[in-house]
mmCIF file of all heavy atoms in Angstrom:
data_model
loop_
_atom_site.group_PDB
_atom_site.id
_atom_site.type_symbol
_atom_site.label_atom_id
_atom_site.label_comp_id
_atom_site.label_asym_id
_atom_site.label_seq_id
_atom_site.Cartn_x
_atom_site.Cartn_y
_atom_site.Cartn_z
ATOM 1 N N ALA A 88 -39.727 -10.426 -17.760
ATOM 2 C CA ALA A 88 -40.825 -10.258 -18.718
ATOM 3 C C ALA A 88 -41.561 -11.575 -18.824
ATOM 4 O O ALA A 88 -40.956 -12.649 -18.767
ATOM 5 C CB ALA A 88 -40.295 -9.840 -20.059
ATOM 6 N N ARG A 89 -42.897 -11.468 -18.872
ATOM 7 C CA ARG A 89 -43.693 -12.687 -19.043
ATOM 8 C C ARG A 89 -43.425 -13.349 -20.404
ATOM 9 O O ARG A 89 -43.362 -14.548 -20.553
ATOM 10 C CB ARG A 89 -45.182 -12.374 -18.894
ATOM 11 C CG ARG A 89 -45.560 -12.111 -17.490
ATOM 12 C CD ARG A 89 -47.088 -11.918 -17.372
ATOM 13 N NE ARG A 89 -47.436 -11.478 -16.030
ATOM 14 C CZ ARG A 89 -48.579 -10.971 -15.753
ATOM 15 N NH1 ARG A 89 -49.511 -10.785 -16.662
ATOM 16 N NH2 ARG A 89 -48.867 -10.631 -14.517
ATOM 17 N N ASP A 90 -43.356 -12.507 -21.382
ATOM 18 C CA ASP A 90 -43.216 -13.014 -22.734
ATOM 19 C C ASP A 90 -41.719 -12.946 -23.163
ATOM 20 O O ASP A 90 -41.201 -11.857 -23.352
ATOM 21 C CB ASP A 90 -44.037 -12.129 -23.690
ATOM 22 C CG ASP A 90 -43.889 -12.559 -25.130
ATOM 23 O OD1 ASP A 90 -43.365 -13.673 -25.359
ATOM 24 O OD2 ASP A 90 -44.297 -11.807 -26.010
ATOM 25 N N GLN A 91 -41.105 -14.108 -23.244
ATOM 26 C CA GLN A 91 -39.664 -14.155 -23.598
ATOM 27 C C GLN A 91 -39.496 -14.302 -25.088
ATOM 28 O O GLN A 91 -38.351 -14.250 -25.578
ATOM 29 C CB GLN A 91 -39.022 -15.305 -22.866
ATOM 30 C CG GLN A 91 -38.817 -15.078 -21.371
ATOM 31 C CD GLN A 91 -37.787 -14.069 -21.059
ATOM 32 O OE1 GLN A 91 -36.672 -14.119 -21.561
ATOM 33 N NE2 GLN A 91 -38.139 -12.989 -20.304
ATOM 34 N N VAL A 92 -40.585 -14.427 -25.835
ATOM 35 C CA VAL A 92 -40.430 -14.750 -27.258
ATOM 36 C C VAL A 92 -39.778 -13.531 -28.023
ATOM 37 O O VAL A 92 -38.826 -13.754 -28.769
ATOM 38 C CB VAL A 92 -41.825 -15.041 -27.894
ATOM 39 C CG1 VAL A 92 -41.724 -15.173 -29.393
ATOM 40 C CG2 VAL A 92 -42.380 -16.238 -27.254
ATOM 41 N N ARG A 93 -40.224 -12.356 -27.673
ATOM 42 C CA ARG A 93 -39.658 -11.181 -28.372
ATOM 43 C C ARG A 93 -38.171 -11.074 -28.026
ATOM 44 O O ARG A 93 -37.368 -10.802 -28.914
ATOM 45 C CB ARG A 93 -40.401 -9.916 -27.911
ATOM 46 C CG ARG A 93 -39.850 -8.619 -28.519
ATOM 47 C CD ARG A 93 -40.825 -7.474 -28.397
ATOM 48 N NE ARG A 93 -40.266 -6.187 -28.616
ATOM 49 C CZ ARG A 93 -39.804 -5.656 -29.723
ATOM 50 N NH1 ARG A 93 -39.840 -6.438 -30.864
ATOM 51 N NH2 ARG A 93 -39.293 -4.482 -29.822
ATOM 52 N N TRP A 94 -37.838 -11.316 -26.745
ATOM 53 C CA TRP A 94 -36.406 -11.242 -26.391
ATOM 54 C C TRP A 94 -35.580 -12.239 -27.173
ATOM 55 O O TRP A 94 -34.523 -11.946 -27.674
ATOM 56 C CB TRP A 94 -36.209 -11.468 -24.897
ATOM 57 C CG TRP A 94 -34.793 -11.316 -24.466
ATOM 58 C CD1 TRP A 94 -34.164 -10.168 -24.226
ATOM 59 C CD2 TRP A 94 -33.884 -12.349 -24.321
ATOM 60 N NE1 TRP A 94 -32.831 -10.386 -23.910
ATOM 61 C CE2 TRP A 94 -32.626 -11.739 -23.968
ATOM 62 C CE3 TRP A 94 -33.896 -13.764 -24.460
ATOM 63 C CZ2 TRP A 94 -31.473 -12.481 -23.718
ATOM 64 C CZ3 TRP A 94 -32.756 -14.455 -24.193
ATOM 65 C CH2 TRP A 94 -31.549 -13.858 -23.851
ATOM 66 N N GLU A 95 -36.131 -13.465 -27.295
ATOM 67 C CA GLU A 95 -35.408 -14.513 -27.987
ATOM 68 C C GLU A 95 -35.203 -14.141 -29.482
ATOM 69 O O GLU A 95 -34.152 -14.436 -30.061
ATOM 70 C CB GLU A 95 -36.094 -15.815 -27.823
ATOM 71 C CG GLU A 95 -35.792 -16.413 -26.461
ATOM 72 C CD GLU A 95 -36.742 -17.557 -26.029
ATOM 73 O OE1 GLU A 95 -37.467 -18.061 -26.968
ATOM 74 O OE2 GLU A 95 -36.753 -17.892 -24.841
ATOM 75 N N VAL A 96 -36.260 -13.565 -30.062
ATOM 76 C CA VAL A 96 -36.117 -13.135 -31.494
ATOM 77 C C VAL A 96 -35.020 -12.095 -31.607
ATOM 78 O O VAL A 96 -34.168 -12.157 -32.475
ATOM 79 C CB VAL A 96 -37.482 -12.538 -31.976
ATOM 80 C CG1 VAL A 96 -37.318 -11.858 -33.327
ATOM 81 C CG2 VAL A 96 -38.503 -13.654 -32.052
ATOM 82 N N LEU A 97 -35.045 -11.133 -30.719
ATOM 83 C CA LEU A 97 -34.019 -10.042 -30.765
ATOM 84 C C LEU A 97 -32.604 -10.642 -30.529
ATOM 85 O O LEU A 97 -31.615 -10.261 -31.153
ATOM 86 C CB LEU A 97 -34.318 -8.987 -29.709
ATOM 87 C CG LEU A 97 -35.496 -8.146 -29.986
ATOM 88 C CD1 LEU A 97 -35.883 -7.234 -28.816
ATOM 89 C CD2 LEU A 97 -35.353 -7.240 -31.230
ATOM 90 N N GLN A 98 -32.547 -11.578 -29.575
ATOM 91 C CA GLN A 98 -31.280 -12.222 -29.272
ATOM 92 C C GLN A 98 -30.695 -12.931 -30.494
ATOM 93 O O GLN A 98 -29.511 -12.842 -30.789
ATOM 94 C CB GLN A 98 -31.497 -13.223 -28.105
ATOM 95 C CG GLN A 98 -30.355 -14.158 -27.833
ATOM 96 C CD GLN A 98 -29.203 -13.535 -27.075
ATOM 97 O OE1 GLN A 98 -29.221 -12.319 -26.855
ATOM 98 N NE2 GLN A 98 -28.231 -14.310 -26.745
ATOM 99 N N ARG A 99 -31.595 -13.675 -31.206
ATOM 100 C CA ARG A 99 -31.146 -14.370 -32.418
ATOM 101 C C ARG A 99 -30.613 -13.341 -33.491
ATOM 102 O O ARG A 99 -29.608 -13.581 -34.081
ATOM 103 C CB ARG A 99 -32.267 -15.221 -32.981
ATOM 104 C CG ARG A 99 -32.344 -16.598 -32.387
ATOM 105 C CD ARG A 99 -33.130 -17.562 -33.307
ATOM 106 N NE ARG A 99 -34.493 -17.131 -33.368
ATOM 107 C CZ ARG A 99 -35.484 -17.522 -32.465
ATOM 108 N NH1 ARG A 99 -35.127 -18.249 -31.465
ATOM 109 N NH2 ARG A 99 -36.719 -17.144 -32.628
ATOM 110 N N ARG A 100 -31.405 -12.301 -33.617
ATOM 111 C CA ARG A 100 -30.974 -11.293 -34.603
ATOM 112 C C ARG A 100 -29.623 -10.658 -34.240
ATOM 113 O O ARG A 100 -28.740 -10.482 -35.070
ATOM 114 C CB ARG A 100 -32.035 -10.191 -34.698
ATOM 115 C CG ARG A 100 -33.285 -10.642 -35.487
ATOM 116 C CD ARG A 100 -34.319 -9.583 -35.460
ATOM 117 N NE ARG A 100 -33.876 -8.291 -35.977
ATOM 118 C CZ ARG A 100 -34.517 -7.195 -35.778
ATOM 119 N NH1 ARG A 100 -35.659 -7.119 -35.161
ATOM 120 N NH2 ARG A 100 -34.018 -6.052 -36.282
ATOM 121 N N LEU A 101 -29.477 -10.436 -32.939
ATOM 122 C CA LEU A 101 -28.213 -9.839 -32.434
ATOM 123 C C LEU A 101 -27.065 -10.802 -32.684
ATOM 124 O O LEU A 101 -25.966 -10.391 -33.160
ATOM 125 C CB LEU A 101 -28.387 -9.532 -30.968
ATOM 126 C CG LEU A 101 -27.490 -8.556 -30.284
ATOM 127 C CD1 LEU A 101 -27.519 -7.212 -31.005
ATOM 128 C CD2 LEU A 101 -27.901 -8.357 -28.825
ATOM 129 N N LEU A 107 -29.579 -3.819 -34.262
ATOM 130 C CA LEU A 107 -30.927 -3.462 -33.802
ATOM 131 C C LEU A 107 -31.048 -1.953 -33.728
ATOM 132 O O LEU A 107 -30.095 -1.291 -33.517
ATOM 133 C CB LEU A 107 -31.144 -4.059 -32.378
ATOM 134 C CG LEU A 107 -30.915 -5.552 -32.193
ATOM 135 C CD1 LEU A 107 -31.210 -5.975 -30.739
ATOM 136 C CD2 LEU A 107 -31.756 -6.360 -33.156
ATOM 137 N N ASP A 108 -32.319 -1.496 -33.900
ATOM 138 C CA ASP A 108 -32.526 -0.055 -33.731
ATOM 139 C C ASP A 108 -32.582 0.287 -32.220
ATOM 140 O O ASP A 108 -32.570 -0.631 -31.373
ATOM 141 C CB ASP A 108 -33.730 0.483 -34.505
ATOM 142 C CG ASP A 108 -35.040 -0.077 -34.006
ATOM 143 O OD1 ASP A 108 -35.138 -0.345 -32.767
ATOM 144 O OD2 ASP A 108 -35.965 -0.228 -34.785
ATOM 145 N N ASP A 109 -32.688 1.577 -31.920
ATOM 146 C CA ASP A 109 -32.583 1.985 -30.496
ATOM 147 C C ASP A 109 -33.655 1.375 -29.651
ATOM 148 O O ASP A 109 -33.400 0.849 -28.540
ATOM 149 C CB ASP A 109 -32.723 3.519 -30.377
ATOM 150 C CG ASP A 109 -31.475 4.231 -30.947
ATOM 151 O OD1 ASP A 109 -30.491 3.527 -31.177
ATOM 152 O OD2 ASP A 109 -31.547 5.438 -31.185
ATOM 153 N N GLY A 110 -34.864 1.306 -30.178
ATOM 154 C CA GLY A 110 -35.996 0.751 -29.430
ATOM 155 C C GLY A 110 -35.770 -0.726 -29.207
ATOM 156 O O GLY A 110 -36.088 -1.289 -28.108
ATOM 157 N N GLU A 111 -35.257 -1.435 -30.246
ATOM 158 C CA GLU A 111 -35.079 -2.875 -30.125
ATOM 159 C C GLU A 111 -33.936 -3.180 -29.139
ATOM 160 O O GLU A 111 -33.961 -4.156 -28.389
ATOM 161 C CB GLU A 111 -34.731 -3.444 -31.511
ATOM 162 C CG GLU A 111 -35.935 -3.458 -32.432
ATOM 163 C CD GLU A 111 -35.569 -3.841 -33.846
ATOM 164 O OE1 GLU A 111 -34.398 -3.535 -34.264
ATOM 165 O OE2 GLU A 111 -36.419 -4.342 -34.592
ATOM 166 N N GLU A 112 -32.910 -2.333 -29.137
ATOM 167 C CA GLU A 112 -31.843 -2.502 -28.173
ATOM 168 C C GLU A 112 -32.360 -2.428 -26.751
ATOM 169 O O GLU A 112 -32.030 -3.226 -25.927
ATOM 170 C CB GLU A 112 -30.766 -1.414 -28.344
ATOM 171 C CG GLU A 112 -29.740 -1.757 -29.371
ATOM 172 C CD GLU A 112 -28.493 -0.851 -29.253
ATOM 173 O OE1 GLU A 112 -28.366 -0.166 -28.223
ATOM 174 O OE2 GLU A 112 -27.723 -0.824 -30.198
ATOM 175 N N LEU A 113 -33.215 -1.426 -26.526
ATOM 176 C CA LEU A 113 -33.789 -1.221 -25.184
ATOM 177 C C LEU A 113 -34.656 -2.429 -24.856
ATOM 178 O O LEU A 113 -34.649 -2.967 -23.725
ATOM 179 C CB LEU A 113 -34.584 0.046 -25.093
ATOM 180 C CG LEU A 113 -33.785 1.327 -24.985
ATOM 181 C CD1 LEU A 113 -34.649 2.553 -25.085
ATOM 182 C CD2 LEU A 113 -32.990 1.396 -23.682
ATOM 183 N N ALA A 114 -35.423 -2.880 -25.835
ATOM 184 C CA ALA A 114 -36.332 -4.071 -25.642
ATOM 185 C C ALA A 114 -35.465 -5.273 -25.267
ATOM 186 O O ALA A 114 -35.824 -6.084 -24.425
ATOM 187 C CB ALA A 114 -37.199 -4.287 -26.819
ATOM 188 N N TRP A 115 -34.329 -5.401 -25.963
ATOM 189 C CA TRP A 115 -33.462 -6.551 -25.658
ATOM 190 C C TRP A 115 -32.896 -6.426 -24.260
ATOM 191 O O TRP A 115 -32.887 -7.425 -23.492
ATOM 192 C CB TRP A 115 -32.334 -6.608 -26.703
ATOM 193 C CG TRP A 115 -31.368 -7.740 -26.447
ATOM 194 C CD1 TRP A 115 -31.507 -9.016 -26.811
ATOM 195 C CD2 TRP A 115 -30.135 -7.595 -25.687
ATOM 196 N NE1 TRP A 115 -30.418 -9.758 -26.349
ATOM 197 C CE2 TRP A 115 -29.575 -8.929 -25.672
ATOM 198 C CE3 TRP A 115 -29.486 -6.579 -25.084
ATOM 199 C CZ2 TRP A 115 -28.384 -9.184 -25.015
ATOM 200 C CZ3 TRP A 115 -28.277 -6.861 -24.421
ATOM 201 C CH2 TRP A 115 -27.734 -8.136 -24.434
ATOM 202 N N SER A 116 -32.384 -5.246 -23.928
ATOM 203 C CA SER A 116 -31.787 -5.015 -22.595
ATOM 204 C C SER A 116 -32.817 -5.290 -21.504
ATOM 205 O O SER A 116 -32.513 -5.813 -20.454
ATOM 206 C CB SER A 116 -31.275 -3.591 -22.460
ATOM 207 O OG SER A 116 -30.406 -3.302 -23.446
ATOM 208 N N ASN A 117 -34.063 -4.862 -21.748
ATOM 209 C CA ASN A 117 -35.099 -4.922 -20.750
ATOM 210 C C ASN A 117 -35.833 -6.254 -20.731
ATOM 211 O O ASN A 117 -36.574 -6.563 -19.839
ATOM 212 C CB ASN A 117 -36.142 -3.820 -21.052
ATOM 213 C CG ASN A 117 -36.957 -3.413 -19.849
ATOM 214 O OD1 ASN A 117 -36.445 -3.376 -18.732
ATOM 215 N ND2 ASN A 117 -38.216 -3.154 -20.047
ATOM 216 N N GLY A 118 -35.537 -7.088 -21.699
ATOM 217 C CA GLY A 118 -36.339 -8.299 -21.911
ATOM 218 C C GLY A 118 -35.896 -9.496 -21.109
ATOM 219 O O GLY A 118 -36.712 -10.418 -20.859
ATOM 220 N N ARG A 119 -34.673 -9.522 -20.678
ATOM 221 C CA ARG A 119 -34.227 -10.717 -19.911
ATOM 222 C C ARG A 119 -34.628 -10.575 -18.466
ATOM 223 O O ARG A 119 -35.253 -11.424 -17.883
ATOM 224 C CB ARG A 119 -32.704 -10.837 -20.067
ATOM 225 C CG ARG A 119 -32.203 -12.175 -19.421
ATOM 226 C CD ARG A 119 -30.906 -12.608 -20.007
ATOM 227 N NE ARG A 119 -29.948 -11.525 -20.271
ATOM 228 C CZ ARG A 119 -28.713 -11.728 -20.645
ATOM 229 N NH1 ARG A 119 -28.252 -12.928 -20.832
ATOM 230 N NH2 ARG A 119 -27.868 -10.742 -20.848
ATOM 231 N N ASP R 47 -44.916 2.274 -21.662
ATOM 232 C CA ASP R 47 -43.850 2.079 -22.596
ATOM 233 C C ASP R 47 -43.079 0.788 -22.212
ATOM 234 O O ASP R 47 -42.547 0.726 -21.086
ATOM 235 C CB ASP R 47 -42.882 3.264 -22.515
ATOM 236 C CG ASP R 47 -41.727 3.161 -23.477
ATOM 237 O OD1 ASP R 47 -41.490 2.054 -23.945
ATOM 238 O OD2 ASP R 47 -41.030 4.185 -23.715
ATOM 239 N N PRO R 48 -43.043 -0.201 -23.061
ATOM 240 C CA PRO R 48 -42.446 -1.492 -22.661
ATOM 241 C C PRO R 48 -40.926 -1.520 -22.438
ATOM 242 O O PRO R 48 -40.411 -2.489 -21.957
ATOM 243 C CB PRO R 48 -42.798 -2.411 -23.890
ATOM 244 C CG PRO R 48 -42.901 -1.466 -25.053
ATOM 245 C CD PRO R 48 -43.504 -0.194 -24.487
ATOM 246 N N VAL R 49 -40.257 -0.427 -22.711
ATOM 247 C CA VAL R 49 -38.815 -0.411 -22.439
ATOM 248 C C VAL R 49 -38.483 0.513 -21.291
ATOM 249 O O VAL R 49 -37.318 0.645 -20.890
ATOM 250 C CB VAL R 49 -37.942 -0.053 -23.651
ATOM 251 C CG1 VAL R 49 -38.140 -1.037 -24.787
ATOM 252 C CG2 VAL R 49 -38.212 1.374 -24.139
#
Side-chain angles (χ1 to χ4, degrees):
Chain A
R89 285 185 187 165
D90 177 15
Q91 287 290 307
V92 174
R93 177 162 162 72
W94 183 82
E95 281 163 15
V96 169
L97 292 170
Q98 168 77 356
R99 272 200 295 276
R100 286 175 54 195
L101 200 55
L107 306 182
D108 66 30
D109 290 346
E111 290 170 333
E112 274 196 14
L113 285 173
W115 178 84
S116 305
N117 201 38
R119 185 156 41 172
Chain R
D47 180 346
V49 300

